[in-house]
Amino acid sequence: MPHDALPPDPFEGDPEDPALSLGEPDHDHPPMAEDERTELVSDLADLAVYQALLEHRGVRGIVVDCGECQEPHYHDWALLRASLEQLLVDGRMRPHEPAFDPNPGAYVSWEYCRGYADGVTATESAR
């Protein structure tokens, strides 16, 4: 799902838009380094594998411990993919709403996904 598939801004064109008080967004950010871009493309490929392996097992997405707020952030597969694709295209992510009342047991860490995929690969290779 490309980031353009996100819901439209409900205040677009509204002169009373509360975001107008924030000023114009800063579109002046340095371009992404080639190694960062390569890593991001790899992360997107890994994410597709992780979703294919885990979604049918009831895993809804990935949990990330936020270094800023010290809280876990729960990302459904589609939201995380859209955020990473947006980062790839725009060089930064738009803010998004956190998951509403997520079930922590339905989300796993990126490291869990990597280990699970490695285990599946090792099992398939041993056959």
Coordinates of all heavy atoms in Angstrom, one line a residue, residues 3-102:
H3 N 2.1 5.1 0.3 CA 1.6 6.1 1.3 C 0.5 7.0 0.7 O -0.2 7.6 1.5 CB 2.8 6.9 1.9 CG 3.4 7.9 0.9 ND1 4.3 7.6 0.0 CD2 3.1 9.2 0.7 CE1 4.7 8.6 -0.7 NE2 4.0 9.6 -0.2
D4 N 0.4 7.1 -0.6 CA -0.7 7.9 -1.1 C -2.1 7.3 -0.9 O -3.1 7.9 -1.0 CB -0.6 8.1 -2.7 CG 0.6 9.0 -3.0 OD1 1.0 9.8 -2.1 OD2 1.2 8.8 -4.1
A5 N -2.1 6.0 -0.5 CA -3.3 5.3 -0.2 C -3.8 5.6 1.3 O -4.8 5.1 1.7 CB -3.2 3.8 -0.3
L6 N -3.1 6.4 2.0 CA -3.5 6.8 3.3 C -4.8 7.7 3.2 O -5.1 8.3 2.2 CB -2.4 7.6 4.0 CG -1.1 6.8 4.3 CD1 -0.1 7.8 4.9 CD2 -1.4 5.7 5.3
P7 N -5.6 7.7 4.3 CA -6.8 8.5 4.2 C -6.5 10.0 3.9 O -5.5 10.5 4.3 CB -7.4 8.4 5.7 CG -6.7 7.2 6.3 CD -5.4 7.1 5.6
P8 N -7.5 10.6 3.3 CA -7.2 12.1 3.0 C -7.3 12.9 4.3 O -7.8 12.5 5.3 CB -8.4 12.4 2.1 CG -9.5 11.4 2.4 CD -8.7 10.2 2.8
D9 N -6.6 14.1 4.2 CA -6.6 15.0 5.3 C -8.0 15.6 5.5 O -8.5 16.2 4.6 CB -5.6 16.1 5.0 CG -5.5 17.2 6.1 OD1 -6.3 17.1 7.1 OD2 -4.7 18.1 6.0
P10 N -8.7 15.3 6.6 CA -10.0 15.8 6.8 C -10.1 17.4 6.9 O -11.2 17.9 6.7 CB -10.5 15.2 8.1 CG -9.2 14.9 8.9 CD -8.2 14.6 7.8
F11 N -9.0 18.0 7.1 CA -9.0 19.5 7.2 C -8.5 20.2 5.9 O -8.4 21.4 5.9 CB -8.2 20.0 8.4 CG -8.8 19.6 9.7 CD1 -8.2 18.5 10.4 CD2 -9.8 20.3 10.2 CE1 -8.8 18.1 11.6 CE2 -10.3 20.0 11.5 CZ -9.8 18.9 12.2
E12 N -8.2 19.4 4.9 CA -7.7 20.0 3.6 C -8.6 21.1 3.1 O -9.8 20.9 2.9 CB -7.5 18.9 2.6 CG -6.8 19.4 1.3 CD -6.4 18.3 0.4 OE1 -6.7 17.1 0.7 OE2 -5.9 18.6 -0.7
G13 N -8.0 22.3 2.9 CA -8.7 23.4 2.4 C -9.5 24.2 3.4 O -10.2 25.2 3.1
D14 N -9.6 23.7 4.7 CA -10.3 24.3 5.7 C -9.6 25.5 6.3 O -8.5 25.3 6.8 CB -10.7 23.3 6.8 CG -11.6 23.8 7.9 OD1 -11.7 25.1 8.0 OD2 -12.1 23.0 8.7
P15 N -10.1 26.7 6.2 CA -9.3 27.9 6.8 C -9.2 27.8 8.3 O -8.4 28.4 8.9 CB -10.2 29.1 6.4 CG -11.5 28.6 6.0 CD -11.3 27.1 5.6
E16 N -10.0 26.9 9.0 CA -9.9 26.7 10.4 C -9.0 25.5 10.8 O -9.1 25.0 11.9 CB -11.3 26.6 11.0 CG -12.2 27.7 10.8 CD -11.7 29.0 11.4 OE1 -11.3 28.9 12.6 OE2 -11.8 30.1 10.8
D17 N -8.3 25.0 9.8 CA -7.4 23.8 10.1 C -6.5 24.1 11.2 O -5.7 25.0 11.2 CB -6.6 23.5 8.8 CG -5.8 22.3 8.9 OD1 -5.6 21.7 10.0 OD2 -5.2 21.8 7.9
P18 N -6.6 23.3 12.3 CA -5.7 23.5 13.5 C -4.2 23.4 13.2 O -3.4 23.9 13.8 CB -6.1 22.5 14.5 CG -7.1 21.6 13.8 CD -7.5 22.2 12.5
A19 N -3.9 22.7 12.1 CA -2.5 22.5 11.7 C -1.9 23.7 11.2 O -0.6 23.8 11.1 CB -2.3 21.3 10.8
L20 N -2.7 24.7 10.7 CA -2.2 25.9 10.2 C -1.3 26.7 11.2 O -0.4 27.4 10.8 CB -3.3 26.8 9.6 CG -4.1 26.3 8.4 CD1 -5.2 27.2 8.1 CD2 -3.1 26.1 7.2
S21 N -1.6 26.5 12.4 CA -0.8 27.2 13.5 C 0.6 26.7 13.6 O 1.5 27.3 14.2 CB -1.5 27.1 14.8 OG -1.6 25.8 15.3
L22 N 0.8 25.5 13.0 CA 2.2 24.9 13.0 C 3.1 25.5 12.0 O 4.3 25.2 12.0 CB 2.1 23.4 12.9 CG 1.2 22.6 13.9 CD1 1.1 21.2 13.5 CD2 1.9 22.8 15.3
G23 N 2.6 26.2 11.0 CA 3.4 26.7 10.0 C 3.6 25.7 8.8 O 3.1 24.6 8.9
E24 N 4.4 26.1 7.9 CA 4.7 25.2 6.7 C 5.6 24.1 7.2 O 6.5 24.3 7.9 CB 5.3 26.0 5.6 CG 4.4 27.0 4.9 CD 3.2 26.2 4.2 OE1 3.5 25.2 3.5 OE2 2.1 26.6 4.4
P25 N 5.4 22.9 6.6 CA 6.2 21.8 6.9 C 7.6 22.0 6.4 O 7.8 22.7 5.4 CB 5.6 20.6 6.3 CG 4.6 21.1 5.3 CD 4.3 22.5 5.7
D26 N 8.6 21.5 7.0 CA 10.0 21.6 6.6 C 10.3 20.5 5.6 O 10.4 19.3 5.9 CB 10.9 21.4 7.8 CG 12.4 21.4 7.5 OD1 12.7 21.9 6.4 OD2 13.2 20.9 8.3
H27 N 10.3 20.9 4.3 CA 10.6 20.0 3.3 C 12.1 19.9 2.9 O 12.5 19.2 2.0 CB 9.8 20.3 2.0 CG 8.3 20.1 2.2 ND1 7.7 18.9 2.3 CD2 7.3 21.1 2.3 CE1 6.4 19.1 2.5 NE2 6.2 20.4 2.5
D28 N 12.8 20.7 3.7 CA 14.3 20.8 3.4 C 15.0 19.8 4.3 O 15.4 20.2 5.4 CB 14.7 22.2 3.7 CG 15.8 22.7 2.8 OD1 15.9 22.1 1.7 OD2 16.4 23.8 3.1
H29 N 15.2 18.6 3.8 CA 15.9 17.6 4.6 C 16.9 16.9 3.7 O 16.7 16.9 2.4 CB 15.0 16.6 5.2 CG 14.0 15.9 4.3 ND1 12.9 16.6 3.9 CD2 14.1 14.8 3.6 CE1 12.2 15.8 3.1 NE2 12.9 14.7 2.9
P30 N 18.0 16.5 4.2 CA 19.1 16.0 3.3 C 18.6 14.7 2.7 O 17.8 13.9 3.2 CB 20.3 15.7 4.3 CG 19.6 15.7 5.7 CD 18.4 16.5 5.6
P31 N 19.1 14.4 1.5 CA 18.7 13.2 0.8 C 19.3 12.0 1.6 O 20.3 12.0 2.3 CB 19.4 13.3 -0.6 CG 20.5 14.3 -0.4 CD 20.1 15.2 0.7
M32 N 18.6 10.9 1.4 CA 18.9 9.6 2.1 C 20.2 9.1 1.4 O 20.4 9.1 0.2 CB 17.8 8.6 1.9 CG 18.0 7.3 2.7 SD 16.7 6.2 2.4 CE 15.3 7.1 3.2
A33 N 21.1 8.7 2.3 CA 22.4 8.1 1.8 C 22.1 6.7 1.1 O 21.1 6.1 1.4 CB 23.4 7.8 3.0
E34 N 22.9 6.4 0.2 CA 22.7 5.2 -0.6 C 22.7 3.9 0.3 O 21.8 3.0 0.0 CB 23.7 5.0 -1.7 CG 23.4 4.0 -2.7 CD 22.1 4.2 -3.4 OE1 21.7 5.4 -3.7 OE2 21.3 3.2 -3.7
D35 N 23.5 3.8 1.3 CA 23.5 2.7 2.2 C 22.2 2.6 3.0 O 21.7 1.5 3.2 CB 24.7 2.6 3.1 CG 24.9 3.8 4.0 OD1 24.5 4.9 3.6 OD2 25.4 3.6 5.1
E36 N 21.7 3.8 3.4 CA 20.4 3.8 4.1 C 19.3 3.3 3.2 O 18.4 2.6 3.6 CB 20.1 5.2 4.6 CG 21.0 5.7 5.7 CD 20.8 7.1 6.1 OE1 20.6 8.0 5.2 OE2 20.8 7.4 7.3
R37 N 19.3 3.8 2.0 CA 18.3 3.4 1.0 C 18.3 1.9 0.7 O 17.3 1.3 0.7 CB 18.5 4.2 -0.3 CG 17.5 3.9 -1.4 CD 17.9 4.8 -2.6 NE 16.9 5.6 -3.2 CZ 15.8 6.1 -2.7 NH1 15.5 5.9 -1.5 NH2 14.9 6.8 -3.4
T38 N 19.5 1.3 0.6 CA 19.7 -0.1 0.4 C 19.1 -0.9 1.6 O 18.5 -1.9 1.4 CB 21.2 -0.4 0.1 OG1 21.6 0.3 -1.0 CG2 21.4 -1.9 -0.1
E39 N 19.4 -0.4 2.8 CA 19.0 -1.1 4.0 C 17.4 -1.0 4.1 O 16.8 -2.0 4.5 CB 19.6 -0.4 5.2 CG 19.2 -1.1 6.5 CD 19.9 -0.5 7.7 OE1 21.0 0.1 7.6 OE2 19.4 -0.7 8.8
L40 N 16.9 0.1 3.7 CA 15.4 0.3 3.7 C 14.7 -0.6 2.7 O 13.7 -1.3 3.1 CB 15.1 1.7 3.4 CG 13.7 2.2 3.7 CD1 13.2 1.9 5.1 CD2 13.6 3.7 3.5
V41 N 15.3 -0.8 1.5 CA 14.7 -1.7 0.5 C 14.8 -3.1 1.1 O 13.9 -3.9 0.9 CB 15.5 -1.5 -0.8 CG1 15.1 -2.7 -1.8 CG2 15.1 -0.2 -1.4
S42 N 15.9 -3.5 1.7 CA 16.1 -4.8 2.3 C 15.0 -5.0 3.4 O 14.4 -6.1 3.5 CB 17.5 -4.9 2.9 OG 17.6 -6.2 3.5
D43 N 14.8 -4.0 4.2 CA 13.8 -4.1 5.3 C 12.4 -4.3 4.7 O 11.6 -5.1 5.3 CB 13.8 -2.8 6.2 CG 15.0 -2.7 7.1 OD1 15.7 -3.7 7.3 OD2 15.2 -1.6 7.7
L44 N 12.1 -3.6 3.6 CA 10.8 -3.9 3.0 C 10.6 -5.3 2.5 O 9.6 -5.9 2.6 CB 10.6 -2.8 1.9 CG 10.1 -1.5 2.3 CD1 10.3 -0.4 1.2 CD2 8.6 -1.5 2.7
A45 N 11.7 -5.8 1.9 CA 11.7 -7.2 1.4 C 11.5 -8.2 2.6 O 10.7 -9.1 2.5 CB 13.0 -7.5 0.6
D46 N 12.3 -7.9 3.7 CA 12.2 -8.8 4.9 C 10.8 -8.7 5.4 O 10.2 -9.7 5.8 CB 13.2 -8.3 5.9 CG 14.6 -8.6 5.6 OD1 14.8 -9.5 4.7 OD2 15.5 -8.1 6.3
L47 N 10.2 -7.5 5.5 CA 8.8 -7.3 6.0 C 7.8 -8.2 5.2 O 6.9 -8.8 5.9 CB 8.4 -5.8 6.0 CG 7.1 -5.5 6.6 CD1 7.0 -5.8 8.1 CD2 6.7 -4.0 6.3
A48 N 7.9 -8.2 3.9 CA 7.0 -9.0 3.1 C 7.2 -10.5 3.5 O 6.2 -11.2 3.6 CB 7.3 -8.8 1.6
V49 N 8.4 -11.0 3.7 CA 8.6 -12.4 4.1 C 8.0 -12.6 5.5 O 7.3 -13.6 5.7 CB 10.1 -12.7 4.1 CG1 10.4 -14.1 4.7 CG2 10.7 -12.6 2.7
Y50 N 8.3 -11.7 6.4 CA 7.8 -11.9 7.8 C 6.2 -12.0 7.8 O 5.7 -12.8 8.5 CB 8.3 -10.8 8.7 CG 9.8 -10.7 8.8 CD1 10.3 -9.5 9.2 CD2 10.6 -11.7 8.5 CE1 11.7 -9.3 9.3 CE2 12.0 -11.6 8.6 CZ 12.5 -10.4 9.0 OH 13.9 -10.3 9.1
Q51 N 5.6 -11.1 7.0 CA 4.2 -11.1 7.0 C 3.7 -12.4 6.4 O 2.7 -13.0 6.9 CB 3.7 -9.9 6.2 CG 2.1 -9.8 6.1 CD 1.6 -8.6 5.4 OE1 2.4 -7.8 4.8 NE2 0.3 -8.5 5.3
A52 N 4.3 -12.8 5.3 CA 3.9 -14.1 4.7 C 4.0 -15.3 5.6 O 3.1 -16.2 5.6 CB 4.7 -14.3 3.4
L53 N 5.0 -15.3 6.4 CA 5.2 -16.4 7.4 C 4.4 -16.3 8.6 O 4.0 -17.4 9.2 CB 6.7 -16.4 7.8 CG 7.7 -16.8 6.8 CD1 9.1 -16.6 7.3 CD2 7.5 -18.3 6.3
L54 N 4.1 -15.1 9.1 CA 3.4 -15.0 10.4 C 2.0 -14.5 10.4 O 1.3 -14.8 11.4 CB 4.3 -14.0 11.2 CG 5.7 -14.5 11.6 CD1 6.6 -13.4 12.1 CD2 5.6 -15.7 12.6
E55 N 1.5 -13.8 9.4 CA 0.2 -13.3 9.4 C -0.9 -14.4 9.6 O -1.8 -14.3 10.4 CB -0.1 -12.5 8.2 CG -1.4 -11.8 8.2 CD -1.6 -10.8 7.1 OE1 -1.2 -11.2 5.9 OE2 -2.1 -9.7 7.3
H56 N -0.7 -15.5 8.9 CA -1.7 -16.6 8.9 C -1.6 -17.3 10.3 O -2.5 -18.1 10.6 CB -1.5 -17.6 7.8 CG -0.3 -18.4 7.9 ND1 0.9 -18.0 7.6 CD2 -0.2 -19.7 8.3 CE1 1.8 -19.0 7.8 NE2 1.1 -20.0 8.3
R57 N -0.6 -17.0 11.1 CA -0.5 -17.6 12.4 C -1.1 -16.6 13.5 O -1.0 -16.8 14.7 CB 0.9 -17.9 12.8 CG 1.5 -18.9 11.9 CD 2.9 -19.3 12.3 NE 3.4 -20.5 11.7 CZ 3.1 -21.7 12.1 NH1 2.3 -21.9 13.1 NH2 3.6 -22.8 11.4
G58 N -1.7 -15.5 13.0 CA -2.4 -14.6 14.0 C -1.5 -13.4 14.4 O -2.0 -12.6 15.2
V59 N -0.3 -13.3 13.9 CA 0.5 -12.1 14.2 C 0.0 -11.0 13.3 O 0.0 -11.1 12.1 CB 2.0 -12.5 13.9 CG1 2.8 -11.2 14.2 CG2 2.5 -13.6 14.8
R60 N -0.3 -9.9 14.0 CA -0.9 -8.7 13.3 C 0.2 -7.7 12.8 O -0.1 -6.9 11.9 CB -1.8 -8.0 14.2 CG -3.1 -8.8 14.5 CD -4.1 -7.9 15.1 NE -4.2 -6.7 14.3 CZ -5.3 -6.0 14.1 NH1 -6.4 -6.4 14.7 NH2 -5.3 -4.9 13.4
G61 N 1.4 -7.8 13.4 CA 2.4 -6.9 13.0 C 3.6 -6.9 13.9 O 3.8 -7.9 14.6
I62 N 4.3 -5.8 13.9 CA 5.6 -5.7 14.7 C 5.5 -4.7 15.8 O 4.9 -3.6 15.6 CB 6.7 -5.4 13.7 CG1 6.9 -6.6 12.8 CG2 8.0 -5.0 14.4 CD1 8.0 -6.4 11.7
V63 N 6.0 -5.0 16.9 CA 6.1 -4.0 18.0 C 7.6 -3.5 18.1 O 8.5 -4.2 17.9 CB 5.7 -4.7 19.4 CG1 6.6 -5.8 19.7 CG2 5.7 -3.6 20.5
V64 N 7.7 -2.2 18.3 CA 9.0 -1.5 18.4 C 9.0 -0.7 19.7 O 8.1 0.0 20.0 CB 9.2 -0.6 17.2 CG1 10.5 0.2 17.3 CG2 9.1 -1.3 15.8
D65 N 10.0 -0.9 20.4 CA 10.2 -0.1 21.7 C 10.8 1.3 21.3 O 11.8 1.4 20.7 CB 11.2 -0.8 22.6 CG 10.6 -2.0 23.2 OD1 9.4 -2.1 23.5 OD2 11.3 -3.0 23.5
C66 N 10.0 2.3 21.6 CA 10.4 3.7 21.2 C 11.4 4.2 22.1 O 11.2 4.3 23.4 CB 9.1 4.6 21.2 SG 9.5 6.3 20.7
G67 N 12.5 4.7 21.6 CA 13.6 5.3 22.4 C 13.2 6.7 22.9 O 13.8 7.1 23.9
E68 N 12.3 7.3 22.3 CA 11.9 8.7 22.7 C 10.9 8.7 23.9 O 11.1 9.3 24.9 CB 11.3 9.5 21.6 CG 12.3 9.8 20.5 CD 11.6 10.6 19.3 OE1 10.6 11.3 19.6 OE2 12.2 10.5 18.2
C69 N 9.8 7.9 23.8 CA 8.8 7.9 24.8 C 8.9 6.7 25.7 O 8.1 6.6 26.7 CB 7.4 8.0 24.2 SG 6.9 6.5 23.3
Q70 N 9.8 5.7 25.4 CA 10.0 4.5 26.3 C 8.7 3.6 26.3 O 8.5 2.9 27.3 CB 10.4 4.9 27.7 CG 11.6 5.8 27.8 CD 12.8 5.3 27.1 OE1 13.1 4.1 27.2 NE2 13.5 6.1 26.3
E71 N 7.9 3.7 25.3 CA 6.7 2.9 25.2 C 6.7 2.0 24.0 O 7.4 2.4 23.0 CB 5.4 3.9 25.0 CG 5.2 4.7 26.2 CD 4.6 3.9 27.4 OE1 3.9 2.9 27.2 OE2 4.9 4.3 28.6
P72 N 6.1 0.9 24.0 CA 6.0 0.1 22.8 C 5.1 0.7 21.8 O 4.0 1.2 22.1 CB 5.6 -1.3 23.3 CG 4.8 -1.0 24.6 CD 5.4 0.2 25.1
H73 N 5.5 0.6 20.5 CA 4.6 1.1 19.4 C 4.2 -0.2 18.6 O 5.1 -0.9 18.2 CB 5.3 2.1 18.5 CG 5.6 3.4 19.2 ND1 5.5 4.6 18.5 CD2 5.9 3.7 20.5 CE1 5.7 5.6 19.4 NE2 6.0 5.0 20.6
Y74 N 2.9 -0.4 18.4 CA 2.4 -1.5 17.6 C 2.1 -1.1 16.2 O 1.3 -0.2 16.0 CB 1.2 -2.1 18.4 CG 1.5 -2.5 19.8 CD1 1.4 -1.7 20.8 CD2 2.0 -3.8 20.0 CE1 1.7 -2.1 22.1 CE2 2.4 -4.2 21.3 CZ 2.2 -3.3 22.3 OH 2.5 -3.7 23.6
H75 N 2.7 -1.8 15.2 CA 2.5 -1.4 13.8 C 1.9 -2.6 13.1 O 2.5 -3.7 13.0 CB 3.9 -1.1 13.2 CG 4.6 0.1 13.8 ND1 4.3 1.4 13.5 CD2 5.5 0.1 14.7 CE1 5.1 2.2 14.2 NE2 5.8 1.4 15.0
D76 N 0.7 -2.5 12.6 CA 0.2 -3.5 11.7 C 1.0 -3.6 10.4 O 1.7 -2.6 10.1 CB -1.3 -3.2 11.3 CG -2.2 -3.4 12.5 OD1 -1.8 -4.0 13.5 OD2 -3.4 -3.0 12.3
W77 N 1.0 -4.7 9.8 CA 1.8 -5.0 8.6 C 1.7 -3.9 7.6 O 2.7 -3.3 7.1 CB 1.4 -6.3 8.0 CG 1.6 -7.5 8.8 CD1 0.6 -8.3 9.3 CD2 2.9 -8.1 9.3 NE1 1.2 -9.3 10.1 CE2 2.6 -9.2 10.1 CE3 4.2 -7.7 9.2 CZ2 3.5 -10.0 10.8 CZ3 5.2 -8.4 9.9 CH2 4.8 -9.6 10.6
A78 N 0.4 -3.5 7.2 CA 0.2 -2.5 6.2 C 0.7 -1.1 6.6 O 1.3 -0.4 5.8 CB -1.3 -2.5 5.8
L79 N 0.5 -0.8 7.8 CA 0.9 0.5 8.3 C 2.5 0.6 8.3 O 3.0 1.6 7.8 CB 0.4 0.8 9.7 CG 0.9 2.1 10.4 CD1 0.4 3.3 9.6 CD2 0.5 2.2 11.8
L80 N 3.1 -0.4 8.7 CA 4.6 -0.4 8.7 C 5.1 -0.3 7.3 O 6.0 0.4 7.0 CB 5.1 -1.6 9.5 CG 6.6 -1.7 9.7 CD1 7.2 -0.4 10.3 CD2 7.0 -2.9 10.5
R81 N 4.5 -1.1 6.4 CA 5.0 -1.1 5.0 C 4.8 0.3 4.4 O 5.7 0.8 3.8 CB 4.2 -2.1 4.2 CG 4.7 -2.2 2.7 CD 3.9 -3.2 1.8 NE 3.8 -4.5 2.5 CZ 2.7 -4.9 3.2 NH1 1.7 -4.1 3.3 NH2 2.7 -6.1 3.7
A82 N 3.6 0.9 4.7 CA 3.3 2.2 4.1 C 4.3 3.3 4.7 O 4.8 4.1 4.0 CB 1.9 2.7 4.4
S83 N 4.6 3.1 6.0 CA 5.6 4.1 6.6 C 7.0 3.9 6.0 O 7.7 4.9 5.7 CB 5.6 3.8 8.1 OG 4.4 4.2 8.7
L84 N 7.4 2.7 5.8 CA 8.8 2.4 5.2 C 8.8 2.9 3.8 O 9.8 3.5 3.3 CB 9.1 1.0 5.4 CG 9.4 0.5 6.8 CD1 9.7 -1.0 6.8 CD2 10.5 1.2 7.5
E85 N 7.7 2.7 3.0 CA 7.7 3.1 1.6 C 7.7 4.6 1.6 O 8.4 5.2 0.7 CB 6.5 2.6 0.9 CG 6.6 1.1 0.6 CD 5.3 0.5 0.1 OE1 4.2 1.2 0.1 OE2 5.3 -0.6 -0.4
Q86 N 7.0 5.3 2.5 CA 7.0 6.7 2.5 C 8.4 7.3 2.8 O 8.9 8.2 2.3 CB 6.0 7.2 3.5 CG 6.0 8.8 3.6 CD 5.1 9.3 4.7 OE1 4.7 8.5 5.5 NE2 4.8 10.6 4.6
L87 N 9.1 6.6 3.8 CA 10.4 7.0 4.1 C 11.4 6.9 2.9 O 12.2 7.7 2.7 CB 10.9 6.1 5.3 CG 12.3 6.4 5.8 CD1 12.5 7.9 6.3 CD2 12.7 5.5 7.0
L88 N 11.2 5.8 2.2 CA 12.0 5.6 0.9 C 11.7 6.7 -0.1 O 12.7 7.2 -0.7 CB 11.6 4.2 0.4 CG 12.5 3.7 -0.8 CD1 13.9 3.5 -0.3 CD2 11.9 2.4 -1.3
V89 N 10.5 7.1 -0.3 CA 10.1 8.1 -1.3 C 10.4 9.5 -0.8 O 11.0 10.3 -1.5 CB 8.6 7.9 -1.7 CG1 8.2 9.1 -2.6 CG2 8.4 6.6 -2.4
D90 N 9.9 9.8 0.4 CA 10.0 11.2 0.9 C 11.2 11.5 1.8 O 11.4 12.7 2.1 CB 8.7 11.5 1.7 CG 7.5 11.5 0.8 OD1 7.6 11.6 -0.4 OD2 6.4 11.4 1.4
G91 N 11.9 10.5 2.3 CA 13.0 10.7 3.2 C 12.6 10.9 4.6 O 13.4 11.1 5.5
R92 N 11.3 10.8 4.9 CA 10.8 10.9 6.3 C 9.4 10.3 6.3 O 8.7 10.2 5.3 CB 10.9 12.3 6.9 CG 10.0 13.3 6.1 CD 10.1 14.6 6.8 NE 9.2 15.5 6.1 CZ 9.1 16.8 6.4 NH1 9.8 17.3 7.4 NH2 8.2 17.6 5.8
M93 N 8.9 10.0 7.5 CA 7.6 9.5 7.7 C 6.6 10.5 8.2 O 7.0 11.4 9.0 CB 7.6 8.3 8.7 CG 8.4 7.1 8.2 SD 8.1 5.7 9.4 CE 9.8 5.2 9.5
R94 N 5.4 10.4 7.8 CA 4.4 11.3 8.3 C 4.0 10.7 9.7 O 4.1 9.5 10.0 CB 3.1 11.2 7.5 CG 3.2 11.8 6.1 CD 1.9 11.6 5.4 NE 2.0 11.9 4.0 CZ 1.3 11.5 3.1 NH1 0.3 10.7 3.4 NH2 1.5 11.8 1.8
P95 N 3.5 11.6 10.6 CA 3.0 11.1 11.9 C 1.8 10.2 11.6 O 1.1 10.4 10.6 CB 2.6 12.3 12.6 CG 3.1 13.5 11.8 CD 3.5 13.0 10.5
H96 N 1.5 9.3 12.4 CA 0.4 8.4 12.3 C -0.2 8.1 13.6 O 0.4 8.2 14.7 CB 0.7 7.1 11.5 CG 1.7 6.3 12.2 ND1 3.1 6.5 12.0 CD2 1.6 5.3 13.2 CE1 3.8 5.7 12.8 NE2 2.9 5.0 13.5
E97 N -1.4 7.7 13.6 CA -2.1 7.4 14.9 C -1.6 6.0 15.4 O -1.4 5.1 14.6 CB -3.6 7.2 14.6 CG -4.3 8.6 14.3 CD -4.3 9.5 15.5 OE1 -4.5 9.0 16.7 OE2 -4.1 10.7 15.3
P98 N -1.4 5.9 16.7 CA -1.0 4.6 17.2 C -2.2 3.6 17.1 O -3.3 4.0 17.0 CB -0.7 4.9 18.7 CG -1.5 6.2 19.0 CD -1.6 6.9 17.7
A99 N -1.8 2.3 17.2 CA -2.9 1.3 17.2 C -3.8 1.5 18.3 O -3.4 1.8 19.4 CB -2.2 -0.1 17.3
F100 N -5.1 1.4 18.1 CA -6.1 1.5 19.1 C -6.2 0.3 19.9 O -6.6 -0.8 19.4 CB -7.4 2.0 18.6 CG -8.5 2.1 19.6 CD1 -8.5 3.1 20.5 CD2 -9.5 1.1 19.7 CE1 -9.5 3.2 21.4 CE2 -10.5 1.2 20.7 CZ -10.5 2.3 21.5
D101 N -5.9 0.3 21.2 CA -6.1 -0.8 22.1 C -5.6 -2.1 21.5 O -6.3 -3.1 21.4 CB -7.6 -1.0 22.5 CG -7.8 -1.8 23.7 OD1 -6.9 -1.9 24.5 OD2 -8.9 -2.4 23.8
P102 N -4.3 -2.1 21.2 CA -3.7 -3.3 20.6 C -3.6 -4.5 21.6 O -3.4 -4.3 22.8 CB -2.3 -2.9 20.1 CG -2.0 -1.8 21.1 CD -3.3 -1.1 21.4

